[in-house]
Amino acid sequence: MAKDTVRYPDKVVDEIDSLVDDGVFESKSEFYRFSAEYVLALVSDDWEPETFNYGEIRDELDLKEEPVLLGADGGRDFLNAVITVRQLGLRNDFAEAEQFIDENYATTDRSGMILEELLRVYRDRADGGSSSSA
């Protein structure tokens, strides 16, 4: 097995710790392995989860194979939109990011609202002068 180091915001880690403390996941490692495989299974037609007890965990969490957030494309279009908004946000090109969202999503579209929130995170970072990366 390979080892990979990833940085997460403190709020995310706190929530994961809560899930582990509540017994939803046996450990943080189980959470990270499961969540990575779950997303891979959603966005890649060829991905077969290998995590021990993947199916049992998914069933216990009552997760659907394709959340409402993801469309018929398995989420690829939305994932590409997230990448685009993230790139523009990292460059502080907020006007172009807003234009991208407005051109591709209705104001009431759930995916568009999520992208707006993602953009807000980058805008807040720029306003606060934070130098951390997402």
Side-chain angles (χ1 to χ4, degrees):
M1 251 188 200
K3 184 175 181 180
D4 213 355
T5 301
V6 181
R7 295 174 55 98
Y8 292 97
D10 290 338
K11 288 176 77 172
V12 171
V13 174
D14 291 345
E15 187 63 27
I16 293 167
D17 286 341
S18 292
L19 291 172
V20 172
D21 291 345
D22 292 344
V24 177
F25 290 91
E26 288 184 19
S27 66
K28 287 172 37 170
S29 293
E30 181 183 64
F31 171 86
Y32 292 125
R33 282 191 295 272
F34 174 81
S35 60
E37 291 237 75
Y38 183 71
V39 171
L40 287 169
L42 289 173
V43 300
S44 175
D45 295 334
D46 299 327
W47 186 259
E48 289 294 325
E50 297 177 3
T51 298
F52 180 70
N53 290 339
Y54 174 86
E56 291 174 27
I57 295 168
R58 190 191 66 227
D59 292 345
E60 285 176 19
L61 295 173
D62 197 27
L63 298 173
K64 296 174 180 65
E65 283 303 313
E66 294 208 24
V68 176
L69 173 64
L70 304 176
D73 69 337
R76 288 180 194 88
D77 287 343
F78 180 71
L79 179 59
N80 288 331
V82 168
I83 291 167
T84 299
V85 170
R86 182 178 185 275
Q87 288 172 334
L88 294 168
L90 286 169
R91 294 184 195 125
N92 294 337
D93 196 346
F94 306 123
E96 189 172 340
E98 288 171 347
Q99 182 178 351
F100 171 81
I101 295 168
D102 291 344
E103 288 175 356
N104 291 284
Y105 297 91
T107 56
T108 57
D109 187 305
R110 177 187 283 182
S111 296
M113 289 187 266
I114 291 170
L115 293 172
E116 290 283 355
E117 283 300 308
L118 175 62
L119 182 58
R120 184 186 55 77
V121 169
Y122 290 104
R123 185 176 277 125
D124 289 350
R125 283 185 182 174
D127 291 343
S130 174
S131 62
S132 64
S133 62

